[in-house]
Amino acid sequence: MAINKVVRAALKAISYREFDIKKNYLQYRNLVNLANKSLKPLYNTWDCAVDSGRHAIPVRIFSPEGEGDFPVLLFFHGGGWVAGNIDSYSKVCANMAKMTNHKVVSVDYRLAPENPFPAGLEDCYQVAKLFITNKEINNGKVTLIGDSAGGNLAACLSLLAKERNEFKIDSQILIYPATCNDHSETSTFQSVHDYGTDYLLTSKRINDYMDLYISKKEDLESPYFAPLLAKDLSEQPDTLIITAEYCPLRDEGEEYGKMLREAGNYVSIYRVKDALHGYFALPLRFPQVRLSYEIINSFLSRQRGETIEK
């Protein structure tokens, strides 16, 4: 069912009153954490930290029910590189472990502006390196997964891993990822113009996030900030990209998938109808969330070599 007039009017009103992130990012961060606060599960969950050599990177591990060596989903949360943490995404990750029968490793990477680009990316890289290369820690398959800014981090990590050649990433799942560096009126993507004002996540909010994330203007031209700028997209992981119909990031995420495919990679691209940016964090009763897990599980089955219907 498409968004009706009443809901559209409500979305417009909420978007119009958006919080000034650049001036009040600490307050916004606290609001996000408070709104998504949940009690840590008492079972199948444990906290640990990865030593980067300079600081500890907190991670929270969510294990599905039952016994066995489960494959790993290495998860990077959204929040514009500025907000969110492993606490605010605990419900999402617990659901993810349950719905996919995978062990979910949620990374509490450093946030901007206190730790600007590429600090968060480097944290994600170090955790990926540990879980992929240290067989005593994990001897199973690892798939990167992230939503929004976390999808950006997953895509950029895959590019960085190819360049550094320290480990190989086999698969990645990018949920409405940020892949471009321009969300202004000059954007070439129609979804920025169609859905960049009245659909919760606005173009102004995205630009504010980017301004807080970068340390200098030159960062905007880095493919590790905006993966659409990468000159060579060959030898990238098998990729699943899920976008939302009413999301300003929709077209750039889908374009990144098309470019990966043109470079010779396996790519599946799905657009979830009647969905807004951020829908993946909603409870499992929402049909868009249930559909997304069907899509994700189909992709993961393919990665395990199981026969799936195309």
Side-chain angles (χ1 to χ4, degrees):
M1 180 181 296
I3 296 176
N4 62 41
K5 292 182 179 180
V6 174
V7 175
R8 194 183 300 274
L11 289 172
K12 184 174 182 179
I14 295 171
S15 301
Y16 179 75
R17 299 173 185 173
E18 67 175 323
F19 204 82
D20 190 328
I21 299 297
K22 292 178 73 172
K23 291 183 179 179
N24 303 289
Y25 71 88
L26 287 175
Q27 294 93 319
Y28 174 73
R29 188 183 293 166
N30 290 334
L31 285 172
V32 169
N33 294 342
L34 183 62
N36 295 282
K37 186 177 181 180
S38 62
L39 293 176
K40 177 186 171 184
L42 299 179
Y43 57 94
N44 294 339
T45 305
W46 62 98
D47 291 344
C48 56
V50 173
D51 184 4
S52 73
R54 296 183 178 180
H55 64 279
I57 306 165
V59 300
R60 179 166 295 166
I61 302 174
F62 301 78
S63 185
E65 296 287 348
E67 301 293 333
D69 294 327
F70 300 102
V72 169
L73 289 174
L74 188 59
F75 178 72
F76 311 129
H77 67 77
W81 310 281
V82 173
N85 56 31
I86 54 177
D87 289 327
S88 65
Y89 269 79
S90 279
K91 289 181 180 178
V92 174
C93 291
N95 287 336
M96 194 183 304
K98 174 184 176 181
M99 295 298 290
T100 64
N101 203 39
H102 277 57
K103 187 180 295 181
V104 176
V105 179
S106 181
V107 182
D108 207 4
Y109 57 87
R110 288 172 292 172
L111 298 176
E114 298 93 334
N115 299 283
F117 174 85
L121 175 60
E122 290 292 352
D123 286 353
C124 295
Y125 182 92
Q126 291 301 322
V127 177
K129 180 179 179 179
L130 176 70
F131 276 86
I132 292 174
T133 63
N134 190 324
K135 300 307 178 183
E136 294 182 1
I137 299 295
N138 171 61
N139 196 32
K141 186 175 179 60
V142 176
T143 297
L144 306 186
I145 181 170
D147 68 319
S148 194
N152 168 276
L153 290 169
C156 294
L157 197 164
S158 295
L159 293 172
L160 192 60
K162 178 191 174 184
E163 179 180 301
R164 293 182 178 176
N165 198 30
E166 293 183 303
F167 56 87
K168 185 177 185 298
I169 298 168
D170 294 321
S171 54
Q172 61 181 355
I173 300 171
L174 314 179
I175 302 172
Y176 36 78
T179 63
C180 189
N181 61 357
D182 181 10
H183 300 89
S184 69
E185 63 278 359
T186 64
S187 172
T188 59
F189 296 113
Q190 191 60 41
S191 62
V192 172
H193 304 289
D194 290 345
Y195 308 118
T197 53
D198 299 332
Y199 295 85
L200 296 184
L201 179 66
T202 66
S203 297
K204 179 184 183 304
R205 174 72 59 88
I206 299 169
N207 286 324
D208 287 347
Y209 280 145
M210 291 194 304
D211 286 345
L212 289 169
Y213 184 40
I214 62 174
S215 59
K216 55 186 181 301
K217 288 295 184 182
E218 289 77 12
D219 292 341
L220 292 169
E221 303 304 318
S222 169
Y224 304 125
F225 175 88
L228 272 177
L229 300 177
K231 296 181 179 179
D232 180 9
L233 289 175
S234 64
E235 300 179 53
Q236 285 301 288
D238 288 356
T239 301
L240 169 62
I241 294 179
I242 300 177
T243 63
E245 182 177 5
Y246 300 111
C247 174
L249 302 180
R250 185 193 71 192
D251 291 353
E252 65 188 72
E254 294 175 2
E255 178 64 20
Y256 188 60
K258 293 173 185 176
M259 289 177 61
L260 285 172
R261 186 180 289 156
E262 290 170 359
N265 305 289
Y266 172 84
V267 183
S268 290
I269 305 170
Y270 290 86
R271 179 186 299 180
V272 177
K273 294 182 179 180
D274 303 327
L276 297 166
H277 185 90
Y279 80 88
F280 191 69
L282 293 171
L284 291 174
R285 66 177 180 272
F286 283 82
Q288 294 89 344
V289 181
R290 304 288 295 196
L291 172 61
S292 294
Y293 277 115
E294 291 177 11
I295 295 168
I296 288 169
N297 283 329
S298 178
F299 176 78
L300 293 173
S301 293
R302 181 187 185 279
Q303 298 308 299
R304 293 193 297 268
E306 299 174 4
T307 301
I308 57 175
E309 183 178 343
K310 294 185 178 179

